Amino acid sequence: MHRSKLSRSILLALGLVSAGGAIAADAGTAGTSSSGNAAAPTQLDAMLVTGTRASNRTQFETLAPVDVFTKQDIQSVDSTDLKDVLAQLVPSFVVQRLPMADGQVFVRPATLRGLSPDQTLVLVNGRRFHRSALLGNRGAQAADLAQIPTSAIKRIEVLRDGASAQYGSDAIAGVINIILEDGPGTEITAGYSQYAQGDGASRDFSARTGWALGDYGSLALFAESSNSDATSRTRQRPDAIAFQAAHPELDVPNPVQRWGQPELESRRVGFNLKANASDTLELYAFGLYSHSDGVSDFNWRNPDTTTGAYRTTSIFPGWNLRSLYPVGFSPQYGNTQNDLQLVAGLRGEITPKLRWDLSASYGRNAIDYSLDNSINASLGPDSPTSFDLGRLTQTEKNANADFNYEWDVAALSKPVNVAFGAEFRQETYQVRAGDPASYAVGRGAAAGLEANSNGAPGFSASQAGQWSQRSKAAYVDMEVPLGERWSIGAAGRYEDFSSFGSTVDGKLSARYAITPDVALRGTLSTGFRAPTPAQLNTTSTTQGLDTRTLQIFTSGRLSPSDPLAQLLGAKPLTPEESRTASLGLTWRTDLGLSGSVDVYRITLSDRFSQSASFAIPAGTPNPLGYTSVNYFTNDFDTTTTGVDVVGNYLRDLGAGRMTLTLAYNYNQTRVDNGSTSVATNETQRVLFEDRLPEHKGSFTGSWDVGAWSLMARVRYYGKWTDSTGNATGDIYQQFGAMTFLDLAVGYRINEHHSLRVGADNVFDRYPDEATFQASRGLIYSRNAPYDTDGANVYAHYRLSF
């Protein structure tokens, strides 16, 4: 058997099937309608493997909706951050910038269908991609897509359906499957971009090369670097203006703090290997490594009002923080990340009908935090001004055994596809303590001087530790062709976790072809998301600024097993449970017009969140100076309803080729009951129901003619609601709909050289100003679901050979 036969029988049918799914069959096109007439190619004709383990499914034939984005689609977006790319391509995918939001400045939360970031499963070449070490807003711990180099991606497949029965924990909103490049050739790209206001310059470089190893496999290598300057969309704070007026002898910076994107440097490398060990045995392996360093501002400390830091006391005679920071200080928050993913496996066939795949993977994300331009006031003159805050590390190990059998049934014209297998996974979370000075309670605390590094207390020795969770799973997945019109599917998965026990989930799917080019499809499924070791065991401390009092407040988030948390009502965490139903219509025509409409309903119970904040009970030791504390809890139930509309039109136009794509999503989430209901916690209800637009869409047109390529994209975001995030007494503001226009022009100089120039947000549009945040110097809401930095102009040069 030669390479081509192995690829057809093993790679396409088995792909890179994991215990959660299948992946990595080469994409192709099929432009023939089942009626026998030659149909014009459409974007629904691409072969895919996400959401199905059958070897011959096209996007049009799937039992659930799957989006496929090619390398050209990815390159049409000016960003090396995969989250930004998906935000422009996937209508129900939203990512926030979140300036000055601690670790979320660097690991930005991204949501699919308005659900929690960790309710979307991320795969690379069909293997589960590990989580970030950061616990984000409301405790979500999701995979960080920004760690995956965009220049290494061959295509992306997005399954928009509940898939826990196929893929395991987290696949409630859907699955994002990143397929890496594996073909021969070399491509080198250099890019530069800058915002119209003259800041935020980004210098990007990427290189990819690949070789065909004769008839024995392939090897691809990739490297990528990005250096981004900070942006600032800031006005001087009113209290800083008043401070300058009261102290004319001082030179107060304007602004005293910066709201915008962080300064960030990133380096990413990787490889993708396939090698034939024999005619029926293939070895495969791939790896990704990323390193990044970033710095962001924190809130300004006013010497006249920040009494916890600027207080004078006889404990430290002659010491006054004004001598060090006479005009106040804005702590500088640093983030260093190292991310690694390694996968290796063997796959082959026992018979032409029965194939197998054995694999193991290792993933690790480590985040080191630092704080400069700060102080631990309780230490007085002995305090450093720079602190190591500690390290968070998430480590995951997976082992998979997968089998795929094409079962010939006499009564059926096509084989029944039966997949089954098992998975073992271990997650470990580790917290390393920071410098003792970053969490020390010095002797000045007795006189009211604030303890800990001011801005972000370090992880203390009592918070440090290591915790693990193990899980074992078994699954079966069947797809049955019942004739020319009907196809049905069923999947079941049993999973047992060392922390809380077992869960069983199932999925039923069906597709009915009304005509060869029009079909109905629908699914019913249950799903789950298991709490992680970090959510089960860790504690954290954050500081914020109250927009009314302009006082710094300190919040503590306790482990559910913490005695104080249990005293306040904490209970052991259990999995989030989901039920999903979807119904869709998909079509294609001989005229190049294709599309789909899918409606869905997702009910979630025992959703994970942070509890309400509680004051520290009288007489309870409070060495960290908490203003309030909360804890993680299974808090409430929600119902999400929505519709996805996707349409594509391809046709010849003049001497060129035109492509039009419409993508629209309506998504509404409502709180059904629980402690976040309107009667008990208005803030949490508003955040879950209205913090993201219910309407999001885009319309993209491209025209390739000769050496030229033209692209125009209109992006639309509906209205949404923001809140101040105050310690008490939140203030709300509704922001109206926004529309952005992006334009780009590409020119192929010759076979090897090409240029592309363009601009995102061509008309330099900004949303309404965040009036309730003006006291912070912030102009535009930091929680916006789109970039608020204005027009961005870019140019790319690409060398291919």
Side-chain angles (χ1 to χ4, degrees), residues 501-667:
S502 61
T503 180
V504 177
D505 288 279
K507 182 172 184 177
L508 297 174
S509 308
R511 180 182 184 276
Y512 176 73
I514 302 172
T515 73
D517 295 315
V518 179
L520 283 170
R521 61 191 179 196
T523 66
L524 293 171
S525 65
T526 62
F528 74 102
R529 191 203 64 80
T532 68
Q535 295 165 340
L536 291 165
N537 298 286
T538 64
T539 64
S540 70
T541 303
T542 59
Q543 290 186 335
L545 179 73
D546 193 293
T547 60
R548 285 173 165 161
T549 66
L550 296 185
Q551 295 298 307
I552 301 297
F553 60 86
T554 303
S555 300
R557 193 265 301 151
L558 307 178
S559 163
S561 60
D562 185 281
L564 176 56
Q566 292 180 342
L567 176 66
L568 297 171
K571 300 289 192 299
L573 294 178
T574 60
E576 298 173 306
E577 303 283 350
S578 70
R579 298 184 302 278
T580 300
S582 70
L583 180 65
L585 176 71
T586 183
W587 67 88
R588 61 184 179 182
T589 71
D590 294 347
L591 301 176
L593 179 65
S594 61
S596 62
V597 177
D598 293 273
V599 296
Y600 56 88
R601 178 183 173 91
I602 306 168
T603 58
L604 270 161
S605 59
D606 295 327
R607 285 198 67 168
F608 186 78
S609 183
Q610 291 179 194
S611 71
S613 295
F614 301 91
I616 302 296
T620 303
N622 188 16
L624 294 179
Y626 289 137
T627 308
S628 61
V629 295
N630 54 46
Y631 50 83
F632 289 146
T633 180
N634 294 103
D635 204 28
F636 62 107
D637 304 335
T638 61
T639 298
T640 298
T641 56
V643 58
D644 287 319
V645 179
V646 177
N648 298 288
Y649 182 51
L650 297 93
R651 63 161 296 169
D652 292 331
L653 180 64
R657 182 74 165 170
M658 180 186 70
T659 303
L660 301 177
T661 300
L662 170 69
Y664 166 78
N665 171 254
Y666 168 76
N667 192 86

Side-chain angles (χ1 to χ4, degrees), residues 268-561:
R268 305 181 186 99
V269 296
F271 73 93
N272 191 17
L273 170 69
K274 299 177 183 178
N276 297 332
S278 71
D279 287 346
T280 59
L281 181 65
E282 183 182 65
L283 165 71
Y284 61 89
F286 66 90
L288 299 171
Y289 173 75
S290 174
H291 172 84
S292 62
D293 289 289
V295 178
S296 177
D297 278 23
F298 270 2
N299 284 299
W300 177 64
R301 272 59 176 167
N302 187 331
D304 286 351
T305 59
T306 311
T307 55
Y310 280 89
R311 186 189 306 271
T312 58
T313 170
S314 59
I315 295 177
F316 303 120
W319 183 75
N320 189 329
L321 189 57
R322 290 178 188 264
S323 63
L324 181 62
Y325 297 127
V327 296
F329 63 99
S330 176
Q332 301 294 292
Y333 189 62
N335 175 295
T336 298
Q337 284 198 67
N338 289 282
D339 192 275
L340 175 67
Q341 177 88 358
L342 292 172
V343 174
L346 285 170
R347 55 192 171 201
E349 61 180 39
I350 299 173
T351 71
K353 296 285 188 180
L354 178 60
R355 294 167 291 275
W356 57 270
D357 189 331
L358 302 177
S359 66
S361 67
Y362 174 86
R364 181 178 184 270
N365 178 262
I367 307 177
D368 289 273
Y369 294 111
S370 62
L371 196 68
D372 295 324
N373 199 48
S374 184
I375 197 75
N376 182 335
S378 72
L379 297 177
D382 297 326
S383 172
T385 58
S386 296
F387 302 87
D388 171 13
L389 303 181
R391 174 185 294 172
L392 303 177
T393 305
Q394 169 79 9
T395 304
E396 299 180 24
K397 301 174 183 177
N398 291 268
N400 301 88
D402 303 288
F403 300 87
N404 201 85
Y405 180 60
E406 293 183 10
W407 178 23
D408 291 318
V409 179
L412 300 177
S413 60
K414 297 179 181 179
V416 175
N417 197 85
V418 182
F420 55 96
E423 179 181 37
F424 172 81
R425 185 166 75 252
Q426 177 177 295
E427 290 188 53
T428 301
Y429 195 76
Q430 184 176 22
V431 178
R432 176 183 63 78
D435 293 335
S438 70
Y439 59 86
V441 181
R443 53 196 179 98
L449 286 170
E450 292 176 340
N452 316 308
S453 49
N454 199 300
F459 302 114
S460 68
S462 62
Q463 292 175 305
Q466 179 172 299
W467 305 271
S468 293
Q469 176 176 268
R470 296 173 301 280
S471 66
K472 298 173 289 185
Y475 74 91
V476 62
D477 189 351
M478 299 180 64
E479 292 187 28
V480 184
L482 296 179
E484 293 299 320
R485 293 182 179 268
W486 278 101
S487 295
I488 61 172
R493 185 181 182 95
Y494 169 84
E495 194 148 358
D496 182 74
F497 289 81
S498 59
S499 298
F500 57 82
S502 61
T503 180
V504 177
D505 288 279
K507 182 172 184 177
L508 297 174
S509 308
R511 180 182 184 276
Y512 176 73
I514 302 172
T515 73
D517 295 315
V518 179
L520 283 170
R521 61 191 179 196
T523 66
L524 293 171
S525 65
T526 62
F528 74 102
R529 191 203 64 80
T532 68
Q535 295 165 340
L536 291 165
N537 298 286
T538 64
T539 64
S540 70
T541 303
T542 59
Q543 290 186 335
L545 179 73
D546 193 293
T547 60
R548 285 173 165 161
T549 66
L550 296 185
Q551 295 298 307
I552 301 297
F553 60 86
T554 303
S555 300
R557 193 265 301 151
L558 307 178
S559 163
S561 60

Side-chain angles (χ1 to χ4, degrees), residues 57-78:
R57 289 289 186 202
T58 69
Q59 190 178 359
F60 176 70
E61 295 169 331
T62 56
L63 279 65
V66 181
D67 293 323
V68 180
F69 301 103
T70 66
K71 190 175 187 68
Q72 289 71 33
D73 295 325
I74 297 167
Q75 292 176 345
S76 73
V77 180
D78 175 49

Side-chain angles (χ1 to χ4, degrees), residues 204-283:
D204 307 314
F205 176 84
S206 65
R208 178 194 62 82
T209 187
W211 303 272
L213 305 178
D215 292 332
Y216 299 98
S218 63
L219 173 64
L221 304 176
F222 11 86
E224 188 174 278
S225 70
S226 178
N227 293 273
S228 300
D229 297 338
T231 63
S232 179
R233 301 295 176 265
T234 315
R235 293 193 183 109
Q236 184 66 302
R237 287 173 45 153
D239 59 335
I241 296 174
F243 179 79
Q244 177 70 87
H247 302 276
E249 74 282 2
L250 299 177
D251 184 14
V252 179
N254 186 4
V256 290
Q257 69 184 70
R258 181 187 57 78
W259 291 94
Q261 299 180 34
E263 179 181 338
L264 185 63
E265 295 184 4
S266 301
R267 306 288 185 270
R268 305 181 186 99
V269 296
F271 73 93
N272 191 17
L273 170 69
K274 299 177 183 178
N276 297 332
S278 71
D279 287 346
T280 59
L281 181 65
E282 183 182 65
L283 165 71

Side-chain angles (χ1 to χ4, degrees), residues 138 607 609 636 669 671 684-690:
R138 291 176 295 279
R607 285 198 67 168
S609 183
F636 62 107
T669 294
V671 175
Q684 289 297 308
R685 185 194 65 79
V686 169
L687 287 177
F688 275 96
E689 292 189 351
D690 303 322

